[in-house]
């Protein structure tokens, strides 16, 4: 969803190039890893409810599958671009590598706005997407999942279409499925909880008592909601959240300095994570501009909406009180903003580490589907906590011992793991 001059793929390549240089990767490996292995662009014709046809543009990008089948979500968004999908697929490669699960990186998308489509039309987009890509995905090839504005229902329509095409049951072809249809308990919580498991570890290392901290969150969708739930369960206080107001076509920040009440705010939020402004006012929330989430005098910032939110224009608005940035969203911080964060000594838990809980739980979903035996929620979350905590510790230890920025440490670990797998296979 690139806007204006921001190009997420260029940013992903820039981040990669800097680490490739530090790792002294050879030219061929650099060339190989800085571009996706394969990508598919296709038309998805859908018969609309009024009988007319509309053609949507669909994408799937497989950045790298040296460590296992490509893995990554499918985004439905009106501003989706090929470069966003490329960037996200590359970040997925680093994400699966940093948490050390046997998967690669992929990503998909459709330029569409599900908010303006009926359920039948959304089903048409899902089934059409699969018909175009079925030959190139599969449980041992490339395994999609939900992302922004897609959910378990979309995944099940996709699975159903795939199974019709191949003629057998293939629950491992897609993750994020609904419970009872091959989904895993804990998947809804996984990304948001994962952000907070890493935040909990970071605060311990920084000797900060989580119960004395406050946070401001950008976004109020799947990632943000569960991050807020666990953070508040641990005793932290969220004083502001922002979300997109689709009526006014702008973001709004909702603030309550005594702490937001999650259940109450959820009761006035739709399934796209959009808060009903009028009802929030009635509940006593202060209404501030969308960008205000970043300026709050809090200890922790959690961007959990979109990429390119902490950039050269916004980074200097971050309050002097902020000590930790836990990146729930993919690509929320640009390299220019990173320079300022480094200078100011703000501790960053980088996106592809902090939000790796989703893909880790997707991997658990695949494992459970393969066994055809499903674990209780506590077991899923316990395994998730272990994976996230050990990945966090490996990154922070490298950051400390090599005296490097947390994002660089996470990249050093992931890129060397992926480069090594490519070398061992004899690819480059
Ligand atoms: P979602 O669609 O459930 O929620 C997105 C939220 O962002 C909504 O509350 C929306 O109102 C808000 N939003 C959109 N534009 C905004 C803006 N300009 N300002 C403020 N808020 C805005 O999406 P999600 O699944 O929670 O994903 C959020 C981010 O996390 C994305 O970057 C996604 O790629 C990333 N992510 C998601 C998962 C996952 O498992 N869902 C996993 C890893 C990373």
């Amino acid at each position: 969803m690139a806007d204006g001059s921001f190009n997420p793929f260029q940013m992903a390549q820039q981040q990669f190039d800097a680490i490739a240089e530090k790792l002294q990767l050879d030219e061929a490996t650099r060339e190989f890893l800085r571009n996706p292995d394969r990508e598919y662009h296709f038309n998805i014709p859908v018969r609309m409810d009024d009988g007319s046809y509309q053609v949507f543009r669909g994408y799937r990008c497989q950045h790298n599958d040296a460590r296992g089948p490509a893995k990554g979500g499918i985004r439905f968004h009106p501003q989706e671009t090929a470069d966003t999908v490329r960037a996200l697929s590359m970040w997925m490669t680093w994400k699966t590598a940093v948490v050390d699960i046997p998967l690669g990186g992929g990503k998909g998308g459709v330029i569409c706005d599900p908010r303006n489509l009926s359920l039948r039309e959304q089903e048409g987009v899902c089934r059409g997407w699969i018909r175009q890509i079925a030959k190139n995905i599969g449980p041992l090839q490339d395994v999609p999942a939900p992302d922004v504005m897609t959910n378990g229902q979309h995944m099940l329509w996709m699975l159903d279409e795939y199974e019709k095409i191949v003629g057998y049951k293939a629950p491992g072809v897609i993750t994020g499925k609904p419970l009872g249809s091959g989904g895993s308990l804990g998947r809804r919580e996984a990304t948001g909880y994962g952000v907070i498991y890493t935040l909990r570890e970071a605060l311990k290392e920084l000797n900060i008592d989580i119960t004395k901290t406050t946070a401001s969150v950008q976004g109020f969708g799947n990632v943000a909601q569960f991050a807020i739930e666990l953070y508040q369960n641990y005793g932290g206080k969220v004083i502001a959240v922002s979300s997109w107001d689709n009526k006014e076509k702008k973001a709004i920040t909702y603030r309550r300095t005594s702490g937001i009440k999650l259940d109450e705010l959820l009761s006035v939020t739709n399934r796209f994570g959009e808060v009903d402004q009028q009802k929030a006012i009635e509940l006593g929330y202060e209404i501030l501009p969308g960008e205000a989430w970043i300026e709050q005098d809090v200890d922790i910032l959690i961007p959990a909406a979109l990429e390119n939110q902490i950039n050269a224009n916004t980074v200097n608005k971050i309050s002097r009180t902020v000590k930790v940035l836990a990146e729930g969203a993919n690509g929320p911080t640009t390299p220019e903003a990173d320079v300022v964060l480094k200078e100011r000594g703000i501790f960053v838990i980088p996106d592809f580490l902090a939000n790796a809980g989703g893909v880790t739980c997707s991997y658990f979903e695949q494992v459970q589907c393969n066994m055809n035996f499903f674990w209780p929620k506590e077991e899923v979350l316990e395994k998730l906590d272990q994976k996230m905590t050990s990945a966090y510790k490996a990154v922070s230890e490298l950051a400390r011992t090599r005296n490097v920025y947390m994002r660089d440490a996470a990249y050093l670990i992931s890129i060397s793991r992926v480069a090594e797998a490519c070398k061992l296979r004899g690819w480059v």
Side-chain angles (χ1 to χ4, degrees):
M1 283 169 283
D3 53 50
S5 59
F6 172 74
N7 182 320
F9 186 48
Q10 279 171 9
M11 170 171 142
Q13 287 187 318
Q14 207 179 325
Q15 290 169 335
F16 168 76
D17 290 342
I19 302 298
E21 190 58 35
K22 277 201 170 77
L23 285 170
Q24 296 281 293
L25 291 185
D26 59 79
E27 272 313 311
T29 307
R30 285 186 204 205
E31 194 51 34
F32 191 69
L33 290 178
R34 77 193 299 282
N35 288 298
D37 255 7
R38 285 173 291 278
E39 60 181 69
Y40 306 90
H41 297 196
F42 42 85
N43 286 335
I44 306 173
V46 174
R47 187 153 181 264
M48 308 301 280
D49 289 347
D50 66 3
S52 68
Y53 279 85
Q54 198 172 323
V55 180
F56 298 92
R57 196 74 181 144
Y59 303 96
R60 186 70 187 171
C61 184
Q62 295 158 355
H63 172 258
N64 190 280
D65 55 8
R67 289 172 41 89
K71 184 89 193 79
I74 306 163
R75 205 177 253 200
F76 285 180
H77 201 277
Q79 272 93 47
E80 187 69 308
T81 67
D83 272 340
T84 312
V85 181
R86 290 183 185 116
L88 289 163
S89 75
M90 193 193 250
W91 288 325
M92 282 307 299
T93 303
W94 314 139
K95 197 179 295 189
T96 52
V98 82
V99 282
D100 203 11
I101 54 179
L103 296 166
K107 200 79 184 189
V110 180
I111 305 176
C112 71
D113 193 339
R115 292 168 296 203
N116 302 332
L117 297 175
S118 70
L119 281 178
R120 199 199 64 79
E121 290 165 344
Q122 291 178 42
E123 181 177 349
V125 174
C126 291
R127 291 186 186 275
W129 191 87
I130 286 288
R131 280 196 295 277
Q132 286 287 31
I133 197 74
K135 285 193 206 71
N136 307 103
I137 61 169
L140 302 175
Q141 229 174 323
D142 178 7
V143 183
D147 192 66
V148 174
M149 286 205 272
T150 51
N151 57 37
Q153 172 66 80
H154 297 117
M155 297 305 111
L156 203 58
W157 285 325
M158 290 184 173
L159 173 69
D160 187 65
E161 193 66 21
Y162 182 84
E163 290 180 341
K164 275 187 196 154
I165 294 169
V166 297
Y168 50 83
K169 294 287 170 199
V173 73
I174 211 152
T175 60
K177 301 182 288 296
L179 290 175
S181 296
S184 172
L185 286 163
R187 177 61 186 87
R188 282 171 62 237
E189 292 85 350
T191 308
Y193 275 23
V195 173
I196 303 305
Y197 294 145
T198 61
L199 174 66
R200 179 196 63 204
E201 295 306 308
L203 293 176
K204 268 191 229 162
E205 282 181 359
L206 296 167
N207 275 321
I208 298 173
D209 178 355
I210 197 165
T211 65
K212 300 205 167 69
T213 60
T214 53
S216 174
V217 181
Q218 187 190 35
F220 196 55
N222 173 263
V223 179
Q225 290 171 10
F226 286 102
I228 294 170
E229 180 177 277
L230 188 61
Y231 172 68
Q232 301 216 132
N233 285 349
Y234 283 158
K237 188 163 78 175
V238 174
I239 63 136
V241 298
S242 70
S243 89
W244 187 252
D245 187 315
N246 207 37
K247 275 190 223 125
E248 296 196 9
K249 302 281 175 228
K250 63 178 188 190
I252 303 284
T253 299
Y254 300 89
R255 184 168 70 178
R256 180 188 271 155
T257 44
S258 58
I260 68 150
K261 290 195 184 128
L262 185 59
D263 286 348
E264 184 185 75
L265 206 53
L266 282 174
S267 73
V268 298
T269 301
N270 70 13
R271 66 197 168 89
F272 299 108
E274 291 161 5
V275 179
D276 183 316
Q277 206 183 133
Q278 198 46 47
K279 290 188 178 148
I281 293 171
E282 285 162 21
L283 287 171
Y285 285 85
E286 268 179 90
I287 305 298
L288 305 173
E291 317 77 72
W293 76 278
I294 206 173
E295 309 167 351
Q296 302 304 309
D297 291 332
V298 287
D299 305 292
I300 297 152
L301 289 179
I302 307 180
L306 300 171
E307 58 274 10
N308 186 29
Q309 299 303 303
I310 304 172
N311 53 39
N313 299 325
T314 58
V315 68
N316 288 312
K317 295 186 180 158
I318 294 179
S319 163
R320 293 280 147 196
T321 58
V322 171
K323 297 167 195 80
V324 180
L325 173 67
E327 296 181 336
N330 285 310
T333 307
T334 64
E336 297 77 30
D338 261 336
V339 174
V340 179
L341 295 175
K342 273 185 215 176
E343 274 168 17
R344 286 186 46 186
I346 294 176
F347 189 86
V348 174
I349 313 174
D351 53 358
F352 64 97
L353 169 64
N355 70 29
V359 72
T360 304
C361 194
S362 281
Y363 163 59
F364 294 159
E365 182 178 327
Q366 280 187 301
V367 172
Q368 294 170 84
C369 282
N370 288 343
M371 295 190 298
N372 212 0
F373 180 77
F374 289 80
W375 305 325
K377 188 169 169 183
E378 298 68 38
E379 190 173 343
V380 175
L381 293 177
E382 196 185 306
K383 286 182 163 69
L384 181 69
D385 194 347
Q386 280 167 8
K387 266 276 175 217
M388 295 301 295
T389 301
S390 73
Y392 172 84
K393 286 188 171 162
V395 172
S396 89
E397 192 185 325
L398 187 74
R400 252 193 329 275
T401 53
R402 297 263 302 263
N403 195 24
V404 290
Y405 188 51
M406 278 289 282
R407 193 185 313 283
D408 292 351
Y411 266 123
L412 285 166
I413 290 177
S414 315
I415 294 176
S416 47
R417 281 182 184 159
V418 177
E420 166 85 357
C422 294
K423 277 256 161 309
L424 286 172
R425 282 177 180 272
W427 285 358
V428 273

